[in-house]
Structures are given as C-alpha cells and as structure tokens.
Amino acid sequence: RYSRTRAFSPVTLAGGQVAVVWQDNADSRVMLTAVRADMRAHDTVVLANTRGEGLAAAASDGQEMLYYLTIEGGGTKEDVARSATLYKANRQGDAIRSQPLDTSKAQLNISNFSGPDFKYTADMRVSGGWVAVMLARQLHRGEDGLQHQSGCALVFSADTLRLVRNHGQTSGHSLDNVLTVARDGSFVGIDLGDNYPRGVHLHKFGGEGPMKAQRLVYTFKTEHGKTPNNPAGRTFDRYDEISSNATTFYKWSNDNNTYTELGGVTESEEGFTIVFAGPRPVGCRCSTSVTSASMAKRCA
C-alpha cells in the first residue's frame, strides 16, 4: 500500500560525478558516497545530523552543494510535532548551514514520517536558487479527532534554507512521490493518491508564486463497500451492476489500495511522460505471470 522510505538519494556532483546520500541505520550517521571516475573505488564522508533524525531526502545543485532533509522517527499514532532539519553542506562534508523546521499543525504539520507503523516517502530537487521537496506524512489530529495522511509540496531558499512557499496538500492519502526539474527550471512532481484525488497526480510549480498546474493523469480501479453504511455512518444504495448472488456491493468506496507503483516523470517536446506500473487492463491476453504493465502518459 505505502511505499517504503527511500534508503538513499542519488545525487550528481561537479563534472557529472555520481554519488549517493544514505544513512547508517546502526548509528544514524548520514553519509555521502562518491564514485571515482574510473568506477573502481569510492570515497565516503560523514554529513551533519545533529539531532540524530532519519534521512528523508537529499539533492545537489550539480556542483559543490548538497541539501538534505532529516525528520525525527516515530512509532505509534502520537499527536506530537516531530523535529525536522534542512541541511546544506559541501561535497567535502563540511556543514554550511542548517535550518530547524516548524512541524506544528499550523506549519508543516508533521506528526509522523517513519517508524514501525509508518514509512512514508519524500523527494527533493534543486533549481534556480530553490530547493523543492515533496513530502508524505501523517498529520496532527484534526477537528474530526483523526490523524489523517497527505502529501505536500514545499519550496525553500537554497541560500538561507528559509521556507518560501508551502503549496499545501498534493494528494491524500499520498502513497508515493517523485520529483524532477523541467527544462524551464520549474519543478515537476507526481504523487500517488488513494482518494483525494484517486490516481497518479501531476504537479508543476516554481520557486515563488502559486502552483502552476495540477492534473490527474491516470486513475485506477476501486473496491466498493460490502455494507450499506460507510465508515462515516452514511447509508448508500446497492450497486446492482457489480453485485452478484455471492457478493453484494454498495455505492461507496474507501479503498486505500492503489494497485499502482510510480516510476518517474520526464519532459519531451510534447509535454511530460509519466511512467508507472498499473493494473493489467481488462481483456489483456498477456501471460498470467505478468501482473502489471509499464505505461506512459503524455501531458502538455
């Protein structure tokens, strides 16, 4: 259902050098490992993690600067604000700047990001003096007494690490996310929503200003309820068209399964191509061992 928290973030350094930012689970150290040009050896440096938080996402400016986000781990559905920190460092591992983030209900609204019961995802990119983050997290308790889950899109200054723009909810629940940079320097991301909306959801935004575009590019099947009443207590009619003698369905759904996995998003002359694995189409004559197909959709 939910994707696992990413274990490492690939980054590119000056000269196209390939590297990854990762975390040692034994002692919480955050590392940068860069592969040498001959691809026969690598070098690793330790990055700052002053609060011992969990690594959520990392990115680079393609040259000397690294940016990474850490968030305090959690266990059960505790309605508390987790600590979170945005860091800036050079490729030698020297800390340039760090910025504690306000995770209260009024700001980033992060009650849980990772732990035994919750493992959500985040992705980060750097462009034009901005650091963008797409983040899925559990929220603080709402007026209905529940702790909901959703994704958000955030933009920070690459210089000061100050939060510049909180675009609010991307999808809810948000089960996975992927973020990249468009040719015009803006950020383009996708996340996987199970209800609001239900499907693969595309987002385009810049360093400042409002969200430029959002589009639901693909949706998937849903399992309908088998009782007249939904969890909120509302009563619905029988869904005759899909019911049978064996099973009765009703005209409501609260299906948190998406039957879909995100691959990525890339730009072409025609727009954006979104790649993902989804349910096998009805009537597909493919082998029974193939349970999903890679698909692409272009969005101008």
Side-chain angles (χ1 to χ4, degrees):
R1 179 178 294 178
Y2 290 98
S3 297
R4 298 182 63 85
T5 301
R6 295 183 174 98
F8 60 88
S9 294
V11 297
T12 302
L13 304 177
Q17 186 177 19
V18 176
V20 293
V21 178
W22 58 282
Q23 185 167 36
D24 188 330
N25 290 334
D27 57 18
S28 297
R29 289 187 302 168
V30 176
M31 314 281 200
L32 169 68
T33 297
V35 181
R36 294 182 185 177
D38 60 8
M39 305 296 286
R40 301 179 64 180
H42 62 265
D43 301 292
T44 298
V45 297
V46 180
L47 304 175
N49 185 13
T50 55
R51 297 179 172 183
E53 298 162 342
L55 178 65
S60 74
D61 64 357
Q63 297 298 319
E64 296 295 323
M65 292 296 117
L66 298 168
Y67 301 85
Y68 56 101
L69 172 66
T70 59
I71 303 175
E72 178 189 5
T76 59
K77 292 185 178 182
E78 306 166 58
D79 187 14
V80 298
R82 302 293 172 184
S83 65
T85 310
L86 183 61
Y87 291 91
K88 179 179 181 178
N90 61 26
R91 61 181 298 169
Q92 288 76 37
D94 302 319
I96 305 299
R97 191 183 300 273
S98 65
Q99 178 63 55
L101 305 181
D102 185 348
T103 63
S104 66
K105 183 177 180 179
Q107 293 298 318
L108 300 188
N109 203 352
I110 303 174
S111 179
N112 262 313
F113 177 74
S114 65
D117 301 326
F118 304 93
K119 295 185 182 297
Y120 302 135
T121 57
D123 206 359
M124 176 186 291
R125 290 293 182 270
V126 181
S127 176
W130 311 107
V131 179
V133 176
M134 286 187 68
L135 170 71
R137 79 286 195 222
Q138 185 188 31
L139 310 180
H140 292 279
R141 198 175 310 280
E143 294 181 359
D144 59 1
L146 301 177
Q147 287 184 253
H148 295 281
Q149 192 270 12
S150 75
C152 62
L154 311 169
V155 180
F156 300 87
S157 164
D159 179 27
T160 65
L161 306 186
R162 176 180 61 88
L163 178 65
V164 175
R165 188 85 181 190
N166 183 345
H167 288 287
Q169 178 169 303
T170 53
S171 297
H173 306 104
S174 179
L175 280 67
D176 197 6
N177 46 53
V178 176
L179 186 61
T180 189
V181 177
R183 294 176 183 178
D184 64 3
S186 63
F187 300 102
V188 176
I190 51 174
D191 68 342
L192 188 60
D194 70 350
N195 271 303
Y196 300 99
R198 183 172 177 82
V200 179
H201 200 192
L202 175 72
H203 316 274
K204 190 172 190 286
F205 55 98
E208 293 181 299
M211 184 76 69
K212 293 184 177 181
Q214 290 181 296
R215 182 177 297 181
L216 183 65
V217 299
Y218 174 80
T219 189
F220 30 75
K221 64 184 180 181
T222 188
E223 182 180 17
H224 284 77
K226 298 177 182 178
T227 61
N229 297 330
N230 71 358
R234 290 184 59 192
T235 301
F236 292 81
D237 294 334
R238 187 177 187 271
Y239 204 153
D240 292 328
E241 291 83 352
I242 63 172
S243 296
S244 66
N245 292 333
T247 306
T248 300
F249 292 98
Y250 294 85
K251 294 182 178 180
W252 66 269
S253 176
N254 188 33
D255 188 358
N256 298 129
N257 296 304
T258 63
Y259 317 100
T260 302
E261 295 183 23
L262 297 182
V265 55
T266 186
E267 189 174 10
S268 67
E269 294 298 332
E270 299 177 347
F272 297 99
T273 299
I274 297 99
V275 181
F276 54 92
R280 184 170 57 186
V282 175
C284 177
R285 293 178 177 271
C286 47
S287 168
T288 54
S289 64
V290 180
T291 58
S292 61
S294 294
M295 307 177 71
K297 188 174 183 75
R298 290 182 174 85
C299 301

